[in-house]
Amino acid sequence: MDQPSLYDDDIVTWAEQQASTLRELARRPDLSNILDWENVADEIESVGRSQINAVESLLAQTLAHLLKRLSAPDTLVVEHWRKEAGTFQIAATTRYERSMRQRLDWDKIWSLAQAQATLGLTLYGDRLLPHLPSRCPLGPDELLVTPFDLDAAMRRIAESTTLKSGQES
């Protein structure tokens, strides 16, 4: 094969197409029933889902490290958190495919990030930044870009807390 396949370019879409095709084949009465069509299709679909889950996890870790930096700027490990945020963002960008854009669960990512940041901050006796918005203030256009502007991302999160606390006054 001289041309790249969809498998190489976009494993999520490939997995969905393959699973759909297998399910269509399963409906054909002339094909053998020895093959467990539905479970084979589910397994192939899980390949795509695992890629999405990996990107969501990496984005949550990116955001968690940004939240820790904002919440405890005087902690000794603040520069380590900066490096880690950048490292996780690069990994997320590397694994991200355009077909994932609408499939990423931003509420889940934001919730995981806050939980991870809270766990990390308690080790140092610190607390999560107050007045965080309920929805993630950053989206794919800010988080899944190269080069990633870490400082702009932190400013955006900080501004979202100011806006929320200002509205409550």
Side-chain angles (χ1 to χ4, degrees), residues 81-121:
W81 289 338
R82 180 184 180 86
K83 179 183 111 6
E84 288 292 294
T87 300
F88 287 124
Q89 188 276 339
I90 290 167
T93 303
T94 302
R95 296 188 76 167
Y96 174 74
E97 297 171 6
R98 285 185 311 277
S99 65
M100 293 180 185
R101 186 178 181 92
Q102 299 304 319
R103 294 173 177 95
L104 293 173
D105 184 343
W106 289 97
D107 291 335
K108 174 182 152 188
I109 292 166
W110 185 236
S111 177
L112 286 171
Q114 290 178 67
Q116 291 171 2
T118 298
L119 284 173
L121 288 165

Side-chain angles (χ1 to χ4, degrees), residues 2-167:
D2 292 338
Q3 295 186 14
S5 73
L6 187 56
Y7 178 87
D8 295 324
D9 292 340
D10 186 346
I11 189 111
V12 174
T13 302
W14 174 88
E16 289 173 348
Q17 287 179 356
Q18 297 303 305
S20 176
T21 301
L22 284 171
R23 288 187 177 103
E24 287 175 29
L25 287 172
R27 288 188 213 93
R28 288 185 42 189
D30 60 319
L31 293 178
S32 170
N33 287 329
I34 295 173
L35 188 60
D36 184 356
W37 294 97
E38 188 58 34
N39 285 324
V40 171
D42 286 346
E43 286 301 314
I44 290 173
E45 258 179 349
S46 75
V47 169
R49 280 193 306 272
S50 70
Q51 293 299 315
I52 292 168
N53 289 339
V55 171
E56 287 177 340
S57 176
L58 291 165
L59 290 172
Q61 291 175 64
T62 301
L63 288 166
H65 283 79
L66 294 177
L67 287 170
K68 289 189 284 188
R69 285 203 77 227
L70 286 166
S71 299
D74 298 326
T75 303
L76 292 175
V77 293
V78 74
E79 287 308 311
H80 172 73
W81 289 338
R82 180 184 180 86
K83 179 183 111 6
E84 288 292 294
T87 300
F88 287 124
Q89 188 276 339
I90 290 167
T93 303
T94 302
R95 296 188 76 167
Y96 174 74
E97 297 171 6
R98 285 185 311 277
S99 65
M100 293 180 185
R101 186 178 181 92
Q102 299 304 319
R103 294 173 177 95
L104 293 173
D105 184 343
W106 289 97
D107 291 335
K108 174 182 152 188
I109 292 166
W110 185 236
S111 177
L112 286 171
Q114 290 178 67
Q116 291 171 2
T118 298
L119 284 173
L121 288 165
T122 56
L123 291 172
Y124 300 97
D126 291 309
R127 300 178 76 189
L128 192 60
L129 196 64
H131 308 294
L132 287 170
S134 58
R135 312 265 343 225
C136 186
L138 301 169
D141 294 335
E142 292 101 354
L143 283 171
L144 292 164
V145 295
T146 303
F148 176 56
D149 190 340
L150 193 121
D151 295 318
M154 286 193 305
R155 274 193 308 277
R156 181 86 182 265
I157 294 170
E159 288 167 0
S160 74
T161 64
T162 305
L163 291 172
K164 186 172 181 182
S165 63
Q167 292 172 352

